[in-house]
């Protein structure tokens, strides 16, 4: 008997859609950083820096941000409900956390966090989210419109799977974009229809640019089904004005487009003259209800001041869809049985935190204010550091967790990158990592506008790491610029 010795699956025979997309926040730069970390572990003094500083991903707690006490107390009690009736619990946990955990546990099937739940999430937790949305927006929200999900990413994937039927279906997406969208559109077989944000106007959205892109896509035979908006922006950090949001609502209503509103950074607004407003709130304030416009909004426990990225909690609110469509979405959600219960609980907590009069209110607000004020200070420190570098321009950060500075590199550096077969931003970020241990993401990973060079840097939650990072960054950048101007390179001691 003979056997086929050819591997049953190879890189050439896997789904070609998987090979097409890239996800740079966890891509080559991270793998390179992991190799350097292994080298440091094996030979501690082999590299010219003492540690890797990961600025590639919004991952607050892994980078030093402390978890919010109230959230962790409630999670602990929900996972150990026997503690609720023990005397010691009153000494270890606030009465507010005990009361909330008891309420949540009593609403979970079987009163245990280890079992399956409804595929949309526990009804009482969806009610808490709906109540939180209603309080935030001033317009009603219903629990049947809420799907709790394993982070916002799972919700985005689910909606794109519902919307995309073939490569002839297009989805409008901003450039620069968060690569979740381009990757998911490719995987689901659709076509991304990019529209450019305007960097010299604070990464603003020009509605005439979106109209132009829509018309070109339709002329090419595409059926454009939805428009992605990210507010506050990732990777660009801008916060949309009400006027801009109103333009988008009117545009999508007129053109019959679903608004896919990525609002995961709604807690991260850092300027006094702007506030977060949900797209549903803006649409309702213009007098449009569910019969006029379809909106899906996404939120997550990963960002904000809570930073519970690893808990994979989130929700999507679906409005303007018929019950038959919601039934199909429910069926799709059922394929994975249900979202994880810790994420469901946390999602309910971020939308229904302690209120005035609750025992935990003052301590909760103090933690929130401490994290917000610290973030603003760190953001301005990094913004100032990047802006001080030769050939680097940096827009003011208004929201989210990132800085997206633009690099104006010498022509010799661009030629050197071309010789190595990489883009200039990849060339720069790899050189930065190898010299300093600082891992940032090349702007091409976010589909930056052609002809521009950017990097995305996460604003670290640890002030000491920022203090350690800035001298290394400045020393590297000065050396890099000198090298590719043709003068003799020099490098300061990067261990300082």
């Amino acid at each position: 008997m003979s056997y086929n010795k050819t591997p049953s699956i190879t890189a050439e025979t896997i789904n070609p859609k998987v090979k097409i997309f890239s996800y740079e926040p966890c891509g080559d730069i991270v793998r390179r950083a992991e190799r350097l970390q292994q080298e440091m572990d094996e030979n501690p003094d082999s590299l010219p820096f003492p540690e890797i500083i990961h600025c590639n991903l919004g991952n607050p707690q892994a980078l030093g941000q402390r978890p919010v006490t109230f959230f962790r107390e409630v999670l602990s009690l929900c996972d150990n409900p026997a503690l609720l009736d023990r005397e010691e619990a009153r000494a270890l946990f606030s009465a507010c956390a005990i009361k909330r955990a008891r309420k949540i546990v009593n609403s979970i099937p079987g009163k245990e966090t280890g079992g399956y739940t409804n595929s949309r999430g526990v009804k009482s937790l969806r009610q808490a989210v709906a109540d939180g949305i209603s309080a935030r927006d001033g317009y009603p929200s219903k629990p049947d419109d809420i799907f709790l999900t394993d982070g916002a990413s799972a919700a985005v994937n689910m909606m794109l799977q519902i919307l995309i039927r073939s490569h002839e279906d297009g989805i409008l997406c901003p450039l620069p974009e968060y690569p979740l969208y381009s990757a998911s559109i490719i995987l689901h077989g659709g076509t991304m229809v990019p529209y450019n944000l305007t960097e010299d106007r604070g990464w603003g959205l020009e509605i005439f640019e979106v109209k132009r892109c829509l018309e070109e896509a339709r002329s090419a035979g595409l059926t454009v089904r939805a428009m992605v908006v990210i507010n506050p922006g990732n990777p660009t950090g801008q916060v949309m004005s009400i006027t801009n949001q109103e333009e988008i609502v009117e545009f999508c209503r007129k053109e019959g487009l679903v608004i896919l509103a990525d609002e995961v950074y709604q807690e991260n607004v850092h300027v006094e003259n702007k506030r977060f407003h949900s797209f549903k709130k803006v649409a309702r304030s213009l007098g449009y209800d569910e019969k006029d416009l379809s909106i899906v909004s996404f939120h997550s426990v990963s960002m904000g001041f809570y930073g519970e990225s690893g808990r994979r909690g989130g929700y999507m609110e679906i409005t303007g869809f018929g019950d038959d469509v919601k039934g199909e979405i429910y069926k799709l959600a059922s394929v994975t049985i249900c979202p994880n219960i810790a994420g469901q609980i946390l999602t309910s907590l971020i939308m229904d935190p302690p209120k005035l009069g609750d025992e935990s209110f003052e301590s909760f607000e103090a933690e929130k204010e401490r994290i917000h004020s610290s973030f603003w200070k760190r953001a301005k420190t990094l913004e100032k550091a990047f802006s001080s570098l030769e050939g680097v321009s940096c827009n003011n950060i208004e929201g989210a967790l990132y800085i997206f500075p633009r690099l104006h590199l010498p022509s010799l550096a661009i030629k050197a990158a071309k010789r190595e077969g990489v883009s200039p931003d990849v060339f720069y970020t790899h050189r930065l990592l190898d010299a300093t241990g600082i891992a940032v993401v090349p702007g091409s990973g976010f589909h930056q506008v052609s002809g521009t060079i950017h990097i995305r840097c996460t604003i670290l939650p640890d002030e000491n790491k920022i203090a350690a990072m800035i001298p290394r960054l400045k020393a590297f950048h000065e050396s890099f610029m000198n090298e590719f101007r043709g003068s003799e390179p020099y490098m300061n001691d990067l261990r300082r």
Side-chain angles (χ1 to χ4, degrees):
M1 182 180 293
S2 63
Y3 294 92
N4 183 0
K5 295 182 180 180
T6 304
S8 59
I9 186 167
T10 66
E12 288 71 35
T13 61
I14 66 170
N15 184 343
K17 295 172 186 173
V18 176
K19 294 192 287 183
I20 292 173
F21 82 84
S22 62
Y23 187 78
E24 282 305 314
C26 298
D28 287 344
I29 201 75
V30 177
R31 290 188 287 272
R32 196 178 185 101
E34 289 171 348
R35 290 194 296 270
L36 291 176
Q37 184 64 59
Q38 184 175 351
E39 186 177 335
M40 291 173 68
D41 293 342
E42 295 171 354
N43 300 288
D45 297 320
S46 61
L47 296 173
F49 46 83
E51 61 176 340
I52 303 293
I53 298 180
H54 290 277
C55 302
N56 58 291
L57 200 62
N59 194 12
Q61 289 188 25
L63 298 174
Q65 181 172 306
R66 299 302 305 156
V68 177
T69 303
F70 177 75
F71 293 168
R72 285 302 179 89
E73 285 188 349
V74 174
L75 278 178
S76 297
L77 290 164
C78 287
D79 276 340
N80 298 276
L83 293 175
L84 291 168
D85 295 318
R86 296 182 62 167
E87 190 64 33
E88 305 96 298
R90 294 180 178 83
L92 295 172
F93 302 97
S94 68
C96 188
I98 292 172
K99 180 180 178 181
R100 181 70 64 88
R102 192 184 303 278
K103 178 181 178 182
I104 291 172
V105 167
N106 286 335
S107 72
I108 295 174
K111 298 185 179 181
E112 286 289 346
T113 57
Y116 291 137
T117 72
N118 182 282
S119 296
R120 287 181 296 181
V122 175
K123 178 70 177 286
S124 66
L125 303 182
R126 287 188 283 121
Q127 181 69 63
V129 171
D131 291 344
I133 293 171
S134 300
R136 181 196 68 193
D137 292 347
Y139 295 95
S141 175
K142 300 175 291 187
D144 286 348
D145 290 343
I146 305 298
F147 283 72
L148 301 179
T149 56
D150 288 333
S153 299
V156 169
N157 262 301
M158 200 183 308
M159 284 312 305
L160 290 175
Q161 198 167 357
I162 286 287
L163 288 167
I164 294 171
R165 299 162 298 183
S166 75
H167 69 279
E168 295 179 350
D169 283 333
I171 307 293
L172 281 160
C173 288
L175 294 190
E177 56 114 15
Y178 182 52
L180 162 68
Y181 292 96
S182 56
S184 300
I185 290 167
I186 289 170
L187 283 173
H188 295 307
T191 299
M192 178 173 163
V193 180
Y195 62 88
N196 292 324
L197 303 177
T198 306
E199 184 170 10
D200 60 8
R201 296 192 63 180
W203 295 111
L205 183 154
E206 307 283 1
I207 201 68
F208 65 82
E209 161 71 2
V210 185
K211 290 178 180 177
R212 180 188 65 79
C213 295
L214 175 66
E215 289 167 4
E216 286 185 0
R218 286 175 172 169
S219 296
L222 294 178
T223 300
V224 180
R225 309 208 71 199
M227 177 177 175
V228 174
V229 282
I230 307 175
N231 182 44
N234 177 13
T236 47
Q238 84 285 9
V239 178
M240 283 186 174
S241 67
I242 283 282
T243 301
N244 215 182
Q245 289 185 270
E246 289 175 344
E247 289 177 324
I248 293 165
V249 167
E250 296 284 11
F251 170 74
C252 289
R253 186 187 70 85
K254 178 182 176 183
E255 300 295 344
L257 303 178
V258 178
I259 295 179
L260 300 178
D262 183 330
E263 299 175 340
V264 303
Y265 294 99
Q266 60 187 258
E267 291 279 352
N268 296 94
V269 177
H270 317 299
V271 286
E272 292 293 331
N273 62 332
K274 287 193 175 180
R275 289 182 57 199
F276 167 78
H277 300 279
S278 75
F279 270 90
K280 192 184 94 170
K281 174 184 176 180
V282 172
R284 298 294 180 266
S285 69
L286 289 172
Y288 301 131
D289 61 21
E290 295 199 26
K291 299 182 183 70
D292 301 307
L293 185 68
S294 298
I295 303 174
V296 184
S297 60
F298 307 103
H299 195 20
S300 165
V301 305
S302 298
M303 305 304 166
F305 79 99
Y306 6 92
E308 294 279 3
S309 309
R311 297 291 180 171
R312 309 312 301 137
Y315 74 76
M316 59 181 178
E317 182 187 27
I318 299 172
T319 61
F321 292 81
D323 289 341
D324 52 349
V325 176
K326 288 181 185 176
E328 295 300 319
I329 298 172
Y330 180 83
K331 180 174 70 176
L332 185 58
S334 301
V335 172
T336 53
I337 310 298
C338 70
N340 80 86
I341 189 64
Q344 291 189 49
I345 293 169
L346 270 171
T347 303
S348 76
L349 295 177
I350 69 168
M351 297 305 293
D352 184 22
K355 306 291 194 302
L356 183 64
D358 292 339
E359 181 191 15
S360 297
F361 176 76
E362 289 187 6
S363 60
F364 176 84
E365 287 294 309
E367 282 185 78
K368 183 176 180 178
E369 176 57 30
R370 185 166 62 249
I371 292 170
H372 277 164
S373 60
S374 172
F375 181 90
W376 179 235
K377 177 183 176 183
R378 289 178 276 114
K380 298 308 288 183
T381 299
L382 270 183
E383 188 181 295
K384 182 179 179 181
F386 275 108
S387 296
S388 71
L389 301 178
E390 178 189 359
V392 177
S393 57
C394 186
N395 277 328
N396 293 333
I397 180 170
E398 296 179 342
L401 298 178
Y402 315 101
I403 288 179
F404 198 62
R406 182 172 180 176
L407 280 58
H408 304 268
L409 300 181
S411 59
L412 287 177
I414 295 171
K415 290 176 182 176
K418 187 174 182 180
R419 284 196 302 271
E420 292 195 11
V422 298
S423 60
D425 55 343
V426 170
F427 181 71
Y428 182 92
T429 54
H430 282 207
R431 290 277 296 252
L432 174 65
L433 175 61
D434 290 344
T436 67
I438 299 169
V440 297
V441 188
S444 53
F446 302 91
H447 296 94
Q448 63 193 348
V449 175
S450 177
T452 65
I453 304 168
H454 295 82
I455 59 174
R456 190 193 77 166
C457 179
T458 300
I459 298 166
L460 300 170
D462 187 329
E463 292 183 18
N464 293 327
K465 284 192 183 296
I466 290 179
M469 168 188 167
I470 288 175
R472 295 192 218 176
L473 172 68
K474 289 184 174 181
F476 164 79
H477 187 81
E478 188 171 5
S479 176
F480 182 95
M481 297 297 280
N482 280 338
E483 177 180 353
F484 291 103
R485 267 196 301 263
S487 61
E488 288 296 316
Y490 70 93
M491 183 67 73
N492 293 335
D493 183 6
L494 294 174
R495 291 182 181 279
R496 288 189 300 173

